[in-house]
Amino acid sequence: MNLNFWLFQTFFTIGLIMLVLALSKIFVQKRFINSLWNILVIISLISFLIFTGNILLRWYIAQHPPWSNGYEMMVFVAWVLMLCGLMTFRKSDFSLPLATLFTGSLLLVSYLDWLNPEITNLMPVLKSSFWLKVHVATIVSSYAPLALSAVLGFMALILMIIKTKSSAEIIDIRIKELTYINEISMTIGLFVLTVGTFLGGVWANESWGRYWAWDPKETWALISIIIYAIVLHLRLVPALNSRFTMNFASVLAFGSIIMTSFGVNYYLTGLHSYAAGDPIPIPKFIYVITAIVIIVGVIAFFRVRKAKKKVLK
Amino acid sequence: MKSIYRFFSSSTLALLLLLIFAVAMATATFMENDYGTDTAWIKIYDALWFELVMVGLALCFLANTFKYNLWRKEKWAVLLFHLSFIIIIIGAGITRYDSYGGIMRIREGQSSSTIISDKNYLQVHISNGNKTIHLQKKKEFSPLNDNNFTIKADLEDVPIEISLKEFVADALPEIVDNSENGMPLLQMVVTSGNGRETLFLNKGEVEVIGPEKHKVGFEAQEEGIINITEKNGEFKVWAPHQLDFFIMADQKAGVIQGDSLQPMSLRTLYRHGDLSFVPLSYHENASIELISTSEKPKDNDPTKDDAVVLNVKVGDKTEELMILYRKGFLPTTHETSVGDMNFSISYGAMPIEIPFEVKLNEFQLERYPGSESPSSYASEVMIIDGDTKMPFRIYMNNVLDYGGFRFYQASYDTDEKGTLLAVNHDVLGTATTYIGYFLMMIGMFFTLFGKRTRFTAISKSLKKIKQRAPLLLLALFSSLASFAQAPMQKDSIPSVTELIINEVVHKQHSNLFGRILVQDVDGRIKPINTLSSEFLRKIYGKTTFKYKTEEGKVIALDADQVFLAMHVSHGAWQKIPVIKIEAIKGGDFFKPLKITDDGYISFDHLINPDGDYVLAKMAEDAHAKKPAEQNEFDKEVIKVDERFNILFNIFSGNYLTIFPNSLDESDNGLAITITLTTFRKKTVNL
Ligand code: HEM
């Protein structure tokens, strides 16, 4: 088995947990969290050493530096990134989680690449473009914080529903916290997604001389950017500046990510069997999830309104 | 001024514009899927209102920076990335209005300095004998659009109007004999320069053909042109120069004299220089009707002609003119006269001259050994710019940058003797956009990691709350990390199970085999072990081959075992489903194929009862498309095709190059290949 595959899983998991911890650390100074954080820093350091060892070993065996082909290049960039993350982890609690996540995504991309090696040296080498890989890895990394903010938003909605008169005070604080973290996480995700999408432009320019061609996949990434930008700016419109709107919107917005990452391949890049007027096959679970989100959203909306009315009385 | 500022600084407007922008793009992607790329461009991406939304957004950015007073030191990062969006929008604007591009076709050994524009233009020259005017209009037609347009002009106080009568996608002109307003009509096929075209000449008409502007007429008044005349079903031709001819029916060739009236026959090829024409049929009283061969609006096929029928009106006299055109080819000019005005009209791409020449030394297309599928293609070109001569190899992902033009490999001629390069000129737009990208990244970075942004403000207010963490979060995320497992394998055919059981090579044996050093296709020496793992990943998608028998027993073979077994008994491995294939991506076309539930197909099942490779045509088509135009189906076909061809080459022993051949000069030259027949006797009974 490919060691990088395990490293990818490890890095991705560590990165995700650390991101959650980094967010919690902002407002909780519990010993438990700090020790968990320290343990994770150590685990990521150990994984990094294993990773380094693996690269050195490959170098020794292959007798050439580990950046002579696309795959090795990718792994090497992942390594450098992890190194930067470890060097700056004291500066900001977010640098190590993000670097770890990103390293994980790069390793995933390189693993997928490894599964499909270039055997004929003459294949049209579209897939092995360096920029393509950086672009894909960046975009994939943005999915984690955006997914996180969707989950946080959903939890905030649930809290709004289960809020009772007696628990109102504590729960309101929780909701406030969740909303703040949600916003931070969404900002991180949006930035990474934006950078990733525009790196796609660099790739397109390198591959076919044009940086933006309204290709469906790229366009949907841009749509996701705009949608998340809308959600983040809702607070600028007084009528929409509420925790409910913000949280509900953050859940709905994740739909654009699902469309970008899965939907486009199946509906828009021309799978012939579906095109041309056939009903679009939508997997059942999408209906189920959509229904749950909408029901929860509507209930939360009425609960919040009722609570407000009471206050006014 | 104040009210304009108030208008654009409204946050509601900003959000509304963002929403419109997102919805418009989403609509466009679906429209592209349903009605084709051109329609999506005409209706949305290229539409004026879409541009206005972007300009509006830029103004909103600007106005809001004042409203929220972002011009403060501590806000610089947020300000920077919002301003960079304005730069990016400006860059996009420059690209749209300043950039141009198209394709360049070059035949081997020839050079070109002409780009065929990818935008289409209607060009009209009108003359009344003593004055000439020239009109030009950029115009695209699409099956879904309201294509109507009218151009008005006047020449010495006579009003002239050119308007659209009809647009027919994928038009096929059909000759209707004995029609009401029929006329004598000569149908011929002409080729010149880059294309081949069917022409219909009415009596009295002249057509201008190709870049050399050859004129061919049918009973035309004009002197000095190739003119065909008809009398009682007999044809004569007059040409200013001699013509070679070739009679198709009896394969006879010869020469007819120029500058005199000579007999001419139908279905004969006449040639002079780069012009050749074949008069196909003559119709005494016929008219032409355009039949659209596309069934659905989406199917506007770029490899078929489209047609526009124009109404040309002078004073109160109207004539119809039919123009056939195709994307990527230079159009022919049609001459006609209405009233006492002479028109020459063309619609289609425009030639763009560039200040240097590109010469195609060689077009190279490699195929997989023993197969028709192209494995790669490249153009060896030479830039000739005054005294500078620069050789370059253009292939996919290797773009030639010269003098502000970018050339990339787009496609090739079917006879593989010519290349088709896509050319783009957009230095300023690309540079502006890149600067925008760069500033945006800096701005975003410092918003996240800098001090005093809203981002850090939130973090601070969070700290103020000082409450315990919602620990349930952690529980949620640890469960997120788990992965779904691959589906089970089932449904096996007994004979395959038996085959595989017989194919289990002893591990010790395959390990030894794995240590042999071979030369790979790049010329590098590596152990078979490395090679076999690559092959199994490539073909099978995993590092271990697994097969589940009916009894539920799983047979697992490692890469070396599989690789050795494949070489020893290809017969068996032709029947074992080992080629990875994603049935869902192939849609109806993959349905008749025998694909196992876990997504594999055997070599033999890709060959039909007639012994033909079933993906041959699909793969050829998919390879001929530009990468940007390949859809999921094409990509899957290319992948399966590659796996199939690699497997075929394994069966042929092409990858086992054990003894490098020092006499072969190319460094990856095929050395002596070991065919494992000698091994066979020893391994069969393992
Ligand atoms: C017409 C469009 C836009 C307008 C008018 C606008 C306006 C603003 C304004 C006024 C702020 C100030 C926040 C403050 O400091 O109080 C802001 C913040 C922000 N904007 Fe935009 N914006 C627009 C589009 C976008 C887009 C497309 C993005 C996507 C990347 C974006 C991302 C952000 C982010 C992340 C912040 C928060 C920065 C922080 O944490 O301090 N904006 N925007």
Side-chain angles (χ1 to χ4, degrees), chain B residues 250-271:
Chain B
D250 53 11
Q251 310 268 314
K252 259 201 332 234
V255 177
I256 56 176
Q257 286 310 310
D259 203 13
S260 65
L261 208 56
Q262 297 287 339
M264 185 193 89
S265 52
L266 295 179
R267 309 202 156 269
T268 301
L269 179 95
Y270 293 88
R271 189 167 60 216

Side-chain angles (χ1 to χ4, degrees), chain A residues 136-206:
Chain A
V136 172
T138 319
I139 289 195
V140 170
S141 321
S142 79
Y143 294 167
L146 293 177
L148 178 65
S149 81
V151 174
L152 292 170
F154 191 73
M155 279 183 13
L157 292 181
I158 299 276
L159 288 184
M160 287 174 192
I161 293 177
I162 61 172
K163 188 167 90 173
T164 58
K165 229 189 291 168
S166 53
S167 64
E169 212 172 309
I170 306 179
I171 288 200
D172 270 343
I173 295 176
R174 286 283 182 280
I175 293 177
K176 212 179 199 170
E177 286 167 7
L178 283 180
T179 314
Y180 282 148
I181 309 175
N182 186 349
E183 195 173 334
I184 296 181
S185 176
M186 203 183 323
T187 312
I188 296 175
L190 174 62
F191 284 177
V192 179
L193 179 64
T194 313
V195 171
T197 305
F198 289 123
L199 284 177
V202 177
W203 166 58
N205 192 25
E206 291 308 309

Side-chain angles (χ1 to χ4, degrees), chain A residues 187 190-191 194 225 229 232-233 235-236, chain B residues 14 18 57 60-61 64 68 70 75 78 81-82 85 444 447 453-455:
Chain A
T187 312
L190 174 62
F191 284 177
T194 313
I225 293 175
L232 272 181
H233 292 78
R235 69 187 166 85
L236 298 183
Chain B
L18 284 175
L57 277 175
C60 278
F61 282 127
N64 274 283
Y68 288 88
L70 293 183
K75 288 275 181 192
V78 177
F81 80 75
H82 279 93
F85 288 132
M444 288 187 165
T447 309
T453 56
R454 177 169 164 85
F455 193 81

Side-chain angles (χ1 to χ4, degrees), chain B residues 302-376:
Chain B
T303 62
K304 285 185 184 147
D305 287 344
D306 292 337
V308 281
V309 183
L310 300 177
N311 276 330
V312 182
K313 192 169 163 196
V314 176
D316 46 285
K317 266 201 193 135
T318 307
E319 288 269 339
E320 269 176 31
L321 181 72
M322 184 187 77
I323 301 176
L324 287 170
Y325 69 96
R326 187 181 299 187
K327 239 192 154 64
F329 288 91
L330 289 174
T332 46
T333 307
H334 302 258
E335 311 222 328
T336 184
S337 46
V338 184
D340 45 10
M341 304 258 184
N342 292 320
F343 289 81
S344 48
I345 301 183
S346 71
Y347 176 75
M350 212 167 49
I352 304 170
E353 289 302 319
I354 59 171
F356 53 88
E357 285 197 348
V358 185
K359 179 173 180 202
L360 178 65
N361 289 333
E362 194 187 354
F363 177 76
Q364 301 163 341
L365 185 123
E366 311 264 348
R367 294 176 187 282
Y368 292 103
S371 136
E372 284 299 294
S373 305
S375 61
S376 82

Side-chain angles (χ1 to χ4, degrees), chain A residues 13 20 24 26-30 33 92 114-117 119-127 129 148 151-152 155 173-174 177 180-181 183-184 187-188 191 194-195 198 202 205-211 213-214 219-220 222-223 226 230 233-237 259 265-274, chain B residues 11 15 18-19 21 25-26 29-30 32-33 41 45 50 68 81-82 91-92 95 118 366 368 375-376 396-397 399 406 408 424 426 430 433-434 437 440-441 444 447-449 454-455 458-459 462-463 465-469 473 476-477 481 521-522 534-535 537-538 541 543 584-585 587 627 631-632 642 668:
Chain A
T13 318
V20 177
S24 339
I26 294 170
F27 54 93
V28 196
Q29 291 302 332
K30 271 262 157 180
I33 293 198
S92 155
W114 177 82
L115 267 189
N116 185 19
I119 288 182
T120 46
N121 52 343
L122 296 165
M123 258 296 281
V125 277
L126 192 70
K127 51 182 193 217
S129 155
L148 178 65
V151 174
L152 292 170
M155 279 183 13
I173 295 176
R174 286 283 182 280
E177 286 167 7
Y180 282 148
I181 309 175
E183 195 173 334
I184 296 181
T187 312
I188 296 175
F191 284 177
T194 313
V195 171
F198 289 123
V202 177
N205 192 25
E206 291 308 309
S207 312
W208 43 76
R210 223 165 266 208
Y211 63 86
W214 298 109
T219 307
W220 267 95
L222 183 57
I223 293 172
I226 299 293
I230 294 176
H233 292 78
L234 284 177
R235 69 187 166 85
L236 298 183
V237 177
M259 179 68 195
N265 292 1
Y266 282 96
Y267 303 134
L268 295 179
T269 37
L271 276 186
H272 283 312
S273 47
Y274 305 145
Chain B
S11 320
L15 286 195
L18 284 175
L19 194 65
F21 190 47
M25 288 190 291
T29 57
F30 281 97
E32 173 169 8
N33 185 52
W41 277 78
Y45 298 136
F50 193 65
Y68 288 88
F81 80 75
H82 279 93
T95 295
D118 48 24
E366 311 264 348
Y368 292 103
S375 61
S376 82
M396 223 165 285
N397 267 351
V399 181
R406 288 171 73 80
Y408 55 103
N424 191 24
D426 182 26
T430 308
T433 311
Y434 273 28
Y437 289 177
M440 182 195 76
M441 287 185 206
M444 288 187 165
T447 309
L448 278 192
F449 297 107
R454 177 169 164 85
F455 193 81
I458 301 178
S459 309
L462 264 176
K463 272 189 187 131
I465 301 176
K466 282 262 177 198
Q467 288 287 332
R468 269 199 273 135
L473 260 185
L476 242 166
F477 281 102
V521 279
D522 282 327
E534 280 178 9
F535 278 102
R537 261 140 52 199
K538 184 88 200 173
T543 42
I584 185 170
K585 293 193 174 162
N631 58 32
E632 290 292 310
E642 194 192 6
N668 61 348

